[in-house]
Amino acid sequence: MGKRGYSVQISGLKYGVVFALLGVILVSLGCSSRKNSSARPVSKDRDRMPIALVLKHRSDTTSANVASQVTHALDYAHIPYRTIDLALIGNEINIPSSVRLIYVTTDKVEQLKNREVERLVQYTAAGNELIITLPLYDPRFAYLMGLKPGADYTMNKHAEGFRFLDDVYPDFADQTFKAPASYVHSGFSRGNFSRHMKILAVAENDSNYPVITQRKVGAGRTIYFNTSTMSDKEYRGLLFSAGLRGLNGVPYPVANASTIFLDDFP
């Protein structure tokens, strides 16, 4: 998909927002994307101890696309990671001690053993970050998504766009974004959520619909994307920025007080 231009409303003014993940890395990402959308930097990052883990399922098209966006960003930021394909028989979730961030990119989680789900809960509670990139219908994940006990998983079929309530990016609170060809989020309605969670973004056309939520779990936290739209390349930077919250020491430069240079959002 080629790059498209968008603008974001900021206190009555419009600033062009171009997505860049990390300084020079972001510039090279944009250039490389224009030359070859599948190109990635040649490095030995994956040979290092991973600090990120990506859970995917090869028979899940959405998972394949979202995992691709996440790993592209990690590659360009030179953040070592590993992937676990849940489609492979016997590929149980074992979390290396070096991992501080996990992305769940598939809703095909019913096959996970109870001990694996409990392992994810314990991992998060130990002070790490778990990001769930799409709605999951497995009740074992309800707590991690910030849903209340007895949630009925009612879907919202009209919410679109983003209004950020928190600085998901530097100085991004109170800004809105809705792509010209916007898609309905198709996530869980507000009544399913517990009051013990923080809303980072709501829908642009429905302030009662939580799009991105954060829940404290012990000493760690989960971030949940209550949307089915994150497979688009335009949201690569949003997935990456959410992950940076759990990776202390990774730089996120701001060009000046009013403009954030990001490559793939919006």
Side-chain angles (χ1 to χ4, degrees):
M1 179 177 296
K3 299 177 76 64
R4 291 182 284 177
Y6 300 98
S7 59
V8 179
Q9 189 71 33
I10 308 176
S11 302
L13 299 176
K14 287 189 176 180
Y15 296 98
V17 177
V18 184
F19 218 179
L21 297 179
L22 294 170
V24 176
I25 294 174
L26 305 185
V27 175
S28 65
L29 172 56
C31 295
S32 297
S33 295
R34 286 188 292 270
K35 294 177 181 178
N36 184 347
S37 60
S38 64
R40 299 195 186 193
V42 178
S43 71
K44 296 182 179 180
D45 292 323
R46 298 187 202 183
D47 296 330
R48 297 158 50 197
M49 291 297 291
I51 60 176
L53 187 65
V54 181
L55 305 183
K56 65 179 184 179
H57 197 294
R58 65 175 60 188
S59 66
D60 178 349
T61 302
T62 297
S63 175
N65 290 335
V66 174
S68 176
Q69 306 311 332
V70 171
T71 56
H72 264 81
L74 295 174
D75 277 334
Y76 280 103
H78 296 287
I79 294 174
Y81 67 89
R82 287 182 187 169
T83 60
I84 294 180
D85 189 342
L86 301 181
L88 301 179
I89 298 176
N91 210 1
E92 186 167 325
I93 298 176
N94 289 303
I95 307 171
S97 59
S98 57
V99 169
R100 294 160 55 192
L101 169 66
I102 294 179
Y103 286 91
V104 178
T105 70
T106 179
D107 61 359
K108 295 181 180 296
V109 293
E110 292 82 1
Q111 68 193 61
L112 295 179
K113 300 178 178 66
N114 287 336
R115 66 171 177 267
E116 293 179 277
V117 178
E118 181 60 29
R119 195 173 297 156
L120 290 173
V121 175
Q122 293 176 351
Y123 160 84
T124 307
N128 300 297
E129 183 168 302
L130 177 73
I131 296 180
I132 300 173
T133 65
L134 75 174
L136 304 179
Y137 295 89
D138 189 327
R140 296 176 299 173
F141 284 85
Y143 174 76
L144 293 173
M145 290 187 292
L147 304 185
K148 66 183 181 182
D152 60 11
Y153 298 90
T154 302
M155 304 295 292
N156 180 299
K157 295 296 186 180
H158 74 274
E160 300 178 10
F162 295 80
R163 177 178 293 278
F164 296 94
L165 307 181
D166 188 81
D167 289 322
V168 179
Y169 305 114
D171 297 323
F172 227 72
D174 298 323
Q175 298 186 39
T176 62
F177 166 68
K178 183 178 179 181
S182 185
Y183 297 98
V184 174
H185 287 300
S186 296
F188 302 128
S189 60
R190 178 66 179 87
N192 288 285
F193 288 85
S194 166
R195 59 186 178 86
H196 301 295
M197 58 89 180
K198 178 181 180 180
I199 300 176
L200 304 181
V202 295
E204 188 271 341
N205 67 341
D206 183 353
S207 61
N208 194 46
Y209 179 85
V211 183
I212 307 175
T213 66
Q214 176 178 295
R215 179 164 195 165
K216 184 174 178 60
V217 179
R221 65 186 166 201
T222 60
I223 292 180
Y224 166 54
F225 287 86
N226 188 33
T227 176
S228 302
T229 65
M230 300 308 294
S231 59
D232 196 318
K233 177 178 178 288
E234 292 165 348
Y235 300 110
R236 181 186 298 173
L238 183 55
L239 291 165
F240 179 71
S241 184
L244 284 181
R245 290 172 170 246
L247 298 178
N248 293 328
V250 177
Y252 198 100
V254 178
N256 56 52
S258 63
T259 303
I260 307 166
F261 288 97
L262 301 166
D263 181 66
D264 293 308
F265 180 84

